[in-house]
Amino acid sequence: MTDNPVSINRAGRPLLPMRGIVPGVPAYLEDVYSWAYLNPRNLALLDRPWVVSAILWGNYGKLLRATLAEVRPGDRVLQPACVYGDFSPRLAAHVGPTGSLHVADVAPLQVVNCRRKLKPFPNARACVSDATDLSGDYDSVCCFFLLHELPDAYKRKVIDALLGCVAPGGRVIFVDYHRPHVVHPLKPAMSLVFETLEPFAKALWTREICDFAGEPERFSWSKQTFFAGMYQKTVARRRP
Ligand SMILES: C[S@@+](CC[C@H](N)C(=O)[O-])C[C@H]1O[C@@H](n2cnc3c(N)ncnc32)[C@H](O)[C@@H]1O
């Protein structure tokens, strides 16, 4: 992991030039998501709890609570990608002073922004790292809406890296999209969004997350769906 310096303004917001000059940022991120994650102006617009809630059709609170329900106060927690809104501060508050939160993200701009949000939490830190390069011995890993943004080959690498980051008894919590019920009224709208903006997301409509794991048998897997199947929480618990 590296601490990549980024210029910041007086309000602590990052000022970073974009596209083509951010070392280590994978091609899919620059090609598909640079507008969302590598552009400082858009970051300031998007990094608001109500925006996250609107993108998730009002389900953010429910999905956050479902994630926190898997994490115990005092846990050592890894969050392998930044999330807009208050996800990381809520997680840091939940694990409390006896626990710790380590956030990693491949985009330095996102890391600087996350550090700003985590300032009140001495138990939390954020670093620049690709999720495929993470290692460690965490109690919980919270992977919140990262997988759907990754090409399938990358999904496999990230899932295996995250599964490798938990000790026996530990868990990886994947919260992400899932195939909605066949008559879900929002299914056509989501299908259009994925076809135009999120080309790697529909794989989660046809495949289970455990299907991407190299050694799924080393974990016990459970899945809960939300909002008539639109979202899932899949938890992989490492067998002792
Ligand atoms: C968690 S995902 C999507 C979160 C959700 N859409 C939200 O509300 O923010 C977005 C983050 O993933 C990061 N990211 C994408 N690919 C990554 C990778 N291979 N390793 C680490 N971070 C990655 C992006 O830089 C971005 O900050």
Side-chain angles (χ1 to χ4, degrees):
M1 287 175 211
T2 54
D3 275 359
N4 200 332
V6 173
S7 313
I8 53 173
N9 68 11
R10 278 200 282 170
R13 290 211 176 263
L15 301 165
L16 187 80
M18 303 159 268
R19 204 166 171 78
I21 62 156
V22 187
V25 170
Y28 68 82
L29 192 56
E30 282 210 339
D31 293 343
V32 181
Y33 290 109
S34 71
W35 65 273
Y37 302 125
L38 306 180
N39 179 321
R41 195 175 305 147
N42 290 349
L43 178 146
L45 290 174
L46 296 171
D47 189 14
R48 297 161 198 274
W50 70 265
V51 173
V52 178
S53 192
I55 289 169
L56 296 175
W57 301 106
N59 289 277
Y60 170 67
K62 196 191 295 177
L63 295 170
L64 170 68
R65 285 191 295 279
T67 307
L68 296 182
E70 303 294 337
V71 177
R72 296 164 304 195
D75 271 2
R76 294 159 298 159
V77 178
L78 171 67
Q79 183 193 320
C82 292
V83 177
Y84 284 146
D86 63 0
F87 183 85
S88 299
R90 294 285 295 273
L91 195 49
H94 180 77
V95 297
T98 58
S100 62
L101 172 64
H102 175 199
V103 183
D105 196 288
V106 75
L109 173 73
Q110 294 291 333
V111 171
V112 169
N113 188 50
C114 185
R115 284 182 185 151
R116 179 181 60 81
K117 293 191 280 186
L118 289 175
K119 258 197 189 134
F121 299 96
N123 61 334
R125 67 194 171 102
C127 301
V128 177
S129 175
D130 193 298
T132 56
D133 292 333
L134 293 169
S135 60
D137 196 14
Y138 295 92
D139 302 306
S140 304
V141 176
C142 296
C143 185
F144 197 80
F145 285 92
L146 172 63
L147 294 182
H148 74 281
E149 296 186 350
L150 308 176
D152 283 4
Y154 233 95
K155 284 186 183 69
R156 257 177 242 118
K157 285 190 203 162
V158 167
I159 289 169
D160 279 343
L162 300 185
L163 293 175
C165 286
V166 284
R171 64 216 75 91
V172 184
I173 305 138
F174 299 97
V175 175
D176 219 305
Y177 289 103
H178 181 266
R179 183 183 58 259
H181 190 279
V182 68
V183 294
H184 199 303
L186 295 170
K187 193 175 181 193
M190 286 315 294
S191 185
L192 190 64
V193 169
F194 289 166
E195 267 152 37
T196 50
L197 292 174
E198 310 238 45
F200 315 118
K202 267 202 177 164
L204 297 180
W205 282 17
T206 53
R207 299 182 65 181
E208 299 293 343
I209 289 174
C210 60
D211 294 343
F212 292 97
E215 295 180 301
E217 67 284 354
R218 296 181 61 200
F219 294 79
S220 68
W221 297 81
S222 63
K223 182 176 87 173
Q224 182 183 359
T225 60
F226 302 84
F227 201 46
M230 177 94 80
Y231 307 110
Q232 65 180 305
K233 175 177 79 174
T234 289
V235 182
R237 286 186 182 75
R238 181 148 170 212
R239 298 181 195 281

